[in-house]
């Protein structure tokens, strides 16, 4: 089987662009596949979120398959929130046999943010243990160290928040994920470029690939909302002012994102663009950058 | 300390619908301290039920309602218990279960409270959950802060992306359990412990229902 294109591109030293596509809330996949077609030749791979923000949507595995059919390489996201260790391992192997090569493993937003607040949150494994579990499947053993009749060979990714406060515990967890087997990282949205540069510099000692998270700010209102409600995201006052002074906030948001991408091209391994609901604007961001 | 809270009068009245003679059990241990099942709350419940047309055939405030011998003693000594066509228990679930196991099986035992957590008592009337009875205590490596309990996600290897300025995304009033563990381990000069990879929890150490037989 062919290797992961994402892994190849990062190994070659290409500046890699990935983007996030959110599965539909239902079975009508028209919009989802349209977005995939639009981004197909612009990005190396597309992340498929796993009930993002704890809002129930089409499964990330099924959506990853839809991307494969469209010729887009998926990054299959899996969280610890909805499945116990049995379900996780079988779904991860399921993704592998269906042709998925990249996997991004994360804790997952708490159910209290979502649309099923009365749901039981699972977290049978945490994100470090999840990385280790998939690394085991890659070596052909399950969590109980029992040999499998055929393992996986995923390119394993995880997430890190370079702007987390306090930062040291976040860094320690980042190191743990690396030791557990994560080979690439997609970061939480970054805005403080100097701080990110320092993080990137330190991260190089761990021999991992880092894609900086770029979040499209659609309006000043959205930026305010993020600052108040989304942990780990800090939109600085200068960017806020830029958006507030704009007559076309979305366009300004696109320009801000493009500017960040341009700056990152100088030193980073790549970017991961999150344009929640406005995936078609990823094209504009890339063209402007 | 087992923490309980009162069910709404509407819910209690609904579960009592169809019964006439109600016998009340209170608990002078935890529920008394939570102000959910002491003598005042028993009086209050008796008043409510009478007002709604029920007959309260008797009440008993036990030192600990989860003690079978105390419940059996009440059932033996108080003739009024024989008139009851339902028992309403103002205690934690363990108390309700104990009463239910002691009374004749044809007479229902009903809970007046919801049982919510095992608490540390800061001082009278202020309770905080610090232990989930998980069966595999990790406090040695987490500086006395339980990640199973104080982290809403029960994470064992460090904070999630939801930590914000050291606070928890689920309830921003609460300090992130891992921020706290980190601070304490640092003060204790035990950052190596923070870096240790913690394997998945062994859930087989605790199967339900729990049982401990010393004799």
């Amino acid at each position: 089987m062919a290797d992961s294109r994402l892994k190849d591109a990062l190994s070659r030293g290409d500046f890699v662009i990935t983007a996030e596509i959110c599965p539909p809330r239902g079975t009508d996949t028209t919009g989802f596949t349209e977005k995939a077609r639009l981004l197909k030749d612009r990005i190396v791979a597309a992340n498929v979120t796993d009930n993002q923000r704890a809002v129930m949507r089409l499964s990330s595995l099924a959506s990853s398959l839809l991307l494969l059919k469209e010729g887009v390489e998926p990054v299959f996201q899996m969280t610890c929130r909805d499945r116990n260790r049995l379900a996780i391992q079988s779904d991860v192997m399921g993704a592998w046999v269906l042709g998925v090569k990249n996997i991004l493993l994360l804790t997952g937003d708490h159910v209290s943010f979502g649309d099923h607040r009365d749901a039981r949150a699972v977290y049978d494994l945490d994100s470090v243990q999840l990385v280790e579990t998939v690394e085991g499947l890659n070596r052909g053993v399950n969590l109980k160290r029992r040999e499998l009749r055929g393992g996986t060979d995923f390119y394993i990714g995880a997430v890190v928040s370079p702007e987390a406060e306090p930062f040291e515990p976040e860094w320690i967890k980042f190191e743990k994920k690396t030791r557990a087997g994560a080979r690439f990282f997609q970061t939480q949205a970054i805005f403080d470029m100097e701080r990110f540069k320092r993080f990137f510099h330190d991260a190089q000692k761990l021999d991992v690939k880092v894609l900086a998270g770029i979040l499209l700010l659609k309006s000043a209102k959205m930026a305010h909302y993020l600052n108040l409600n989304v942990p780990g995201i800090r939109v600085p006052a200068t960017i806020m002012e830029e958006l507030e002074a704009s007559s076309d906030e979305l366009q300004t948001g696109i320009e801000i994102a493009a500017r960040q991408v341009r700056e990152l091209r100088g030193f980073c391994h790549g970017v991961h663009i999150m344009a929640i609901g406005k995936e078609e604007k990823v094209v504009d961001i890339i063209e402007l950058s | 300390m087992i923490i309980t809270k009162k069910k709404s009068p509407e819910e209690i009245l609904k579960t009592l619908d169809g019964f006439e003679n109600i016998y009340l059990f209170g608990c002078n241990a935890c529920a008394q301290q939570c102000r959910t099942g002491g003598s005042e709350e028993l009086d209050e419940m008796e008043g409510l039920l009478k007002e709604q047309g029920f007959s309260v055939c008797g009440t008993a405030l036990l030192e600990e309602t989860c003690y079978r011998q105390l419940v059996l003693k009440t059932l033996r000594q108080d003739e009024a218990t024989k008139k009851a066509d339902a028992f309403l228990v103002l205690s934690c679930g363990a108390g309700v279960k104990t009463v239910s196991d002691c009374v004749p099986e044809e007479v229902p035992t009903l809970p007046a409270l919801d049982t919510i957590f095992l608490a540390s008592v800061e001082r009278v009337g202020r309770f905080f959950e610090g232990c989930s009875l998980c069966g595999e205590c990790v406090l040695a490596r987490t500086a006395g802060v339980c990640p199973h309990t104080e982290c809403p996600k029960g994470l064992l290897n460090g904070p999630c992306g939801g930590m914000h300025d050291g606070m928890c995304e689920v309830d921003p009033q609460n300090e992130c359990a891992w921020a706290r563990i980190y601070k304490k381990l640092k003060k204790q000069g035990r950052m190596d412990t923070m870096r240790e990879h913690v394997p998945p929890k062994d859930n087989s150490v605790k199967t339900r229902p729990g049982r401990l037989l010393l004799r």
Side-chain angles (χ1 to χ4, degrees):
Chain A
M1 260 198 269
D3 221 356
S4 146
R5 271 164 47 199
L6 176 64
K7 183 182 174 183
D8 287 346
L10 283 166
S11 309
R12 271 199 308 272
D14 293 0
F15 184 79
V16 165
I17 300 178
T18 60
E20 185 171 281
I21 313 182
C22 193
R25 197 181 322 192
T27 56
D28 179 354
T29 58
T30 330
F32 180 80
T33 46
E34 268 169 22
K35 283 170 183 169
R37 278 176 209 151
L38 207 65
L39 295 177
K40 188 180 170 190
D41 300 316
R42 306 292 188 136
I43 58 176
V44 175
N47 282 54
V48 186
T49 50
D50 180 17
N51 293 335
Q52 189 174 19
R53 256 351 233 172
V55 173
M56 193 284 295
R57 289 174 181 274
L58 185 64
S59 88
S60 56
L61 175 50
S63 304
S64 293
L65 231 63
L66 292 176
L67 288 189
L68 280 175
K69 274 196 207 159
E70 293 299 326
V72 176
E73 182 166 298
V75 178
F76 169 46
Q77 293 197 185
M78 181 174 273
T79 73
C80 303
R81 184 193 51 237
D82 306 329
R83 305 167 182 83
N84 73 3
R85 56 194 87 176
L86 275 91
I88 283 174
Q89 294 178 93
S90 39
D91 281 355
V92 168
M93 291 194 299
W96 178 255
V97 300
L98 293 170
V100 177
K101 303 289 165 59
N102 313 300
I103 190 163
L104 186 85
L105 304 168
L106 53 172
T107 307
D109 296 312
H110 196 266
V111 291
S112 61
F113 292 102
D115 63 346
H116 288 63
R117 294 176 189 208
D118 48 357
R120 180 171 188 158
V122 181
Y123 302 111
D124 187 29
L125 302 178
D126 66 24
S127 56
V128 174
Q129 296 158 352
L130 177 56
V131 170
E132 194 184 35
T133 302
V134 178
E135 213 276 324
L137 299 177
N138 273 357
R139 284 185 283 109
V141 291
N142 70 12
L143 247 183
K144 301 313 290 177
R145 293 188 178 42
R146 193 165 166 193
E147 212 169 302
L148 301 164
R149 198 170 302 156
T152 60
D153 191 15
F154 279 106
Y155 189 41
I156 302 176
V159 297
V160 62
S161 296
E163 296 181 15
E165 277 301 335
F167 185 63
E168 196 179 4
E170 176 69 17
W171 174 266
I172 290 170
K173 194 163 184 184
F174 170 64
E175 285 181 320
K176 281 190 186 185
K177 288 177 180 177
T178 305
R179 282 201 302 273
R183 299 276 73 98
F184 73 97
F185 283 82
Q186 290 172 319
T187 79
Q188 174 61 289
I190 57 150
F191 290 101
D192 182 341
M193 199 57 81
E194 288 314 307
R195 192 173 166 165
F196 179 74
K197 272 183 192 161
R198 288 196 298 276
F199 165 77
F200 185 80
H201 176 260
D202 293 339
Q204 288 325 287
K205 294 168 197 155
L206 300 177
D207 189 28
V208 289
K209 301 295 180 186
V210 176
L211 304 181
I214 302 297
L215 180 65
L216 171 62
L217 297 170
K218 293 180 271 190
S219 63
K221 198 177 143 197
M222 176 195 180
H224 276 295
Y225 176 85
L226 292 171
N227 269 352
L228 287 176
N229 297 295
V230 182
I233 294 188
R234 294 156 198 279
V235 184
T238 48
I239 288 182
M240 205 70 95
E241 284 159 17
E242 210 177 325
L243 285 166
E244 278 163 357
S246 166
S247 54
D248 184 346
E249 294 176 48
L250 178 58
Q251 186 55 33
T252 304
I254 292 169
E255 284 162 16
I256 292 168
R259 196 168 68 211
Q260 289 179 302
V261 176
R262 215 177 304 134
E263 212 174 334
L264 287 156
R265 280 185 192 277
F267 68 94
C268 194
H269 299 139
V271 290
H272 174 57
I273 305 175
M274 296 166 274
I276 310 155
K278 287 263 182 252
E279 285 86 351
E280 68 280 4
K281 298 296 177 195
V282 171
V283 178
D284 299 1
I285 297 171
I286 297 170
E287 279 178 356
L288 267 175
S289 73
Chain B
M1 171 76 61
I2 310 284
I3 305 305
T4 45
K5 64 174 189 190
K6 293 177 182 174
K7 284 184 180 289
S8 69
E10 295 74 33
E11 186 183 346
I12 293 170
L13 293 172
K14 205 172 157 197
T15 61
L16 290 176
D17 194 30
F19 300 110
E20 266 181 56
N21 298 308
I22 317 294
Y23 191 95
L24 303 179
F25 276 102
C27 178
N28 212 21
C30 308
Q32 186 273 127
Q33 285 209 40
C34 293
R35 297 175 197 154
T36 52
S39 60
E40 274 179 41
E41 293 76 28
L42 273 179
D43 289 348
E44 190 186 303
M45 184 60 73
E46 189 172 357
L48 170 78
L49 297 189
K50 283 182 172 162
E51 192 187 293
Q52 295 293 324
F54 291 97
S55 155
V56 175
C57 57
T59 65
L61 180 61
L62 306 191
E63 279 316 302
E64 283 167 298
T65 312
C66 57
Y67 261 67
R68 189 181 169 90
Q69 297 309 321
L70 295 179
V71 177
L72 289 172
K73 192 174 157 196
T74 307
L75 293 173
R76 270 196 312 272
Q77 293 179 349
D78 190 350
E79 280 298 311
T81 57
K82 298 191 172 58
K83 283 188 229 148
D85 49 20
F87 292 92
L88 183 66
V89 186
L90 286 68
S91 81
C92 73
V96 179
K97 187 233 163 10
T98 307
V99 172
S100 173
D101 283 350
C102 295
V103 301
E105 287 196 339
E106 59 276 18
V107 186
T109 303
L110 308 164
L113 310 179
D114 287 316
T115 308
I116 44 184
F117 60 92
L118 176 66
S120 303
V121 185
E122 187 189 75
R123 55 191 153 88
V124 174
R126 286 176 65 85
F127 310 105
F128 295 91
E129 186 174 20
C131 172
S132 317
L133 309 169
C134 79
E136 195 185 39
C137 192
V138 298
L139 294 179
R141 57 172 187 248
T142 56
V145 178
C146 177
H148 289 302
T149 310
E150 296 180 64
C151 168
K153 299 179 183 175
L155 306 180
L156 297 179
N157 277 291
C160 71
M163 174 183 68
H164 194 61
D165 290 331
M167 304 308 272
C168 175
E169 64 170 347
V170 176
D171 182 352
Q173 304 274 317
N174 288 340
E175 188 175 6
C176 163
W178 275 101
R180 189 155 166 67
I181 292 168
Y182 158 71
K183 276 201 285 195
K184 287 184 79 179
L185 286 176
K186 192 158 190 160
K187 276 187 191 165
Q188 294 172 7
R190 296 168 66 206
M191 287 306 279
D192 284 353
T193 309
M194 184 88 190
R195 289 191 190 92
E196 266 169 35
H197 178 103
V198 181
K201 180 174 169 51
D202 178 1
N203 288 292
S204 71
V205 298
K206 189 170 166 174
T207 51
R208 284 190 159 142
R211 183 186 297 135
L212 173 68
L213 307 172
L214 297 179
R215 302 202 295 178

